[in-house]
Amino acid sequence: MVLRERSDLEDDLSSDGGDQSRNTPSNGFRGRSRDIDRSQQNAEDLARYLLERATLYWDLFITVTNNLMDRFRVKEIATAIYDGLRKYPLLALSIAAVIFILSLPFMIFVFFTLATAIMTFTGFVLIEGTLITVASMLLIGVLIGVGCLLGTIGLVFLVGYFGISKAYDWLDRWGDQGIRSFGTRHAREER
């Protein structure tokens, strides 16, 4: 993309008069300043071109994003989810707690990674190995703890479900036969 109307060769030929003036001692400085002006103009043209292309691609990205959001009705879905979570605040709190718990190990690991990078750039190489070891141990510990917690909660729910189901079956069977026999036994004892 060229914004100038004349080429560099035309500028050289019209201002210098060809190769004749290059032999003069005063022309050396003018030639260098012209080269600097030309390179500066080329840099400005390149910057302008890159800015125009970046603006074009950014506008295209925004347009495509808006089209996708309209096509898939993202705004309506987000509004429905928001309204649903406003109706059930306990569910919203539970979802927030689950997201926080699941993202906690990764946040800890990112923190230790950033701390490691800072230590590396400042020269604490020995601390870096220790920090990576501690971070890995913490990550594994938190993941194992969360896994055990979720496993325990799952087992409690399973045992509770099967226990209540079995007790309901026993009470159902005992209710049909046991109450009649209990009632007749109790009536006999009273007589």
Side-chain angles (χ1 to χ4, degrees):
M1 181 174 147
V2 177
L3 299 176
R4 285 173 270 133
E5 299 195 11
R6 297 170 56 170
S7 70
D8 294 335
L9 182 60
E10 290 173 355
D11 286 339
D12 289 341
L13 291 176
S14 66
S15 64
D16 289 342
D19 287 333
Q20 298 158 353
S21 62
R22 288 198 182 161
N23 296 332
T24 60
S26 64
N27 192 19
F29 178 72
R30 283 193 325 196
R32 275 187 248 133
S33 80
R34 197 174 309 115
D35 288 341
I36 292 171
D37 290 342
R38 208 176 310 138
S39 66
Q40 185 177 3
Q41 185 67 34
N42 288 340
E44 288 173 3
D45 288 345
L46 179 65
R48 195 171 293 118
Y49 174 74
L50 291 175
L51 183 64
E52 287 175 2
R53 297 309 280 183
T55 304
L56 175 75
Y57 288 131
W58 179 253
D59 291 340
L60 183 65
F61 174 75
I62 294 296
T63 303
V64 168
T65 304
N66 286 335
N67 287 341
L68 286 174
M69 289 178 69
D70 289 342
R71 178 181 293 170
F72 295 114
R73 297 185 179 116
V74 173
K75 188 174 182 180
E76 290 87 7
I77 292 170
T79 305
I81 290 172
Y82 177 72
D83 290 340
L85 291 178
R86 281 186 61 198
K87 287 180 186 175
Y88 304 104
L90 188 61
L91 178 65
L93 182 64
S94 301
I95 290 173
V98 166
I99 290 172
F100 177 75
I101 294 229
L102 291 177
S103 65
L104 186 64
F106 302 106
M107 288 190 298
I108 290 172
F109 190 74
V110 166
F111 169 74
F112 276 106
T113 304
L114 289 175
T116 301
I118 291 170
M119 298 282 181
T120 301
F121 290 131
T122 56
F124 294 108
V125 177
L126 294 176
I127 296 174
E128 178 185 356
T130 306
L131 194 60
I132 289 173
T133 305
V134 169
S136 299
M137 290 170 51
L138 275 174
L139 177 67
I140 289 171
V142 168
L143 287 176
I144 288 174
V146 168
C148 289
L149 179 70
L150 291 176
T152 304
I153 290 172
L155 283 175
V156 165
F157 280 125
L158 282 174
V159 167
Y161 173 74
F162 286 121
I164 289 173
S165 174
K166 198 57 122 168
Y168 181 76
D169 287 343
W170 285 342
L171 285 175
D172 192 33
R173 278 192 231 142
W174 189 71
D176 290 343
Q177 298 169 356
I179 291 178
R180 288 184 209 136
S181 64
F182 178 74
T184 56
R185 242 187 283 147
H186 187 63
R188 284 183 210 155
E189 290 174 4
E190 287 181 358
R191 289 184 203 163

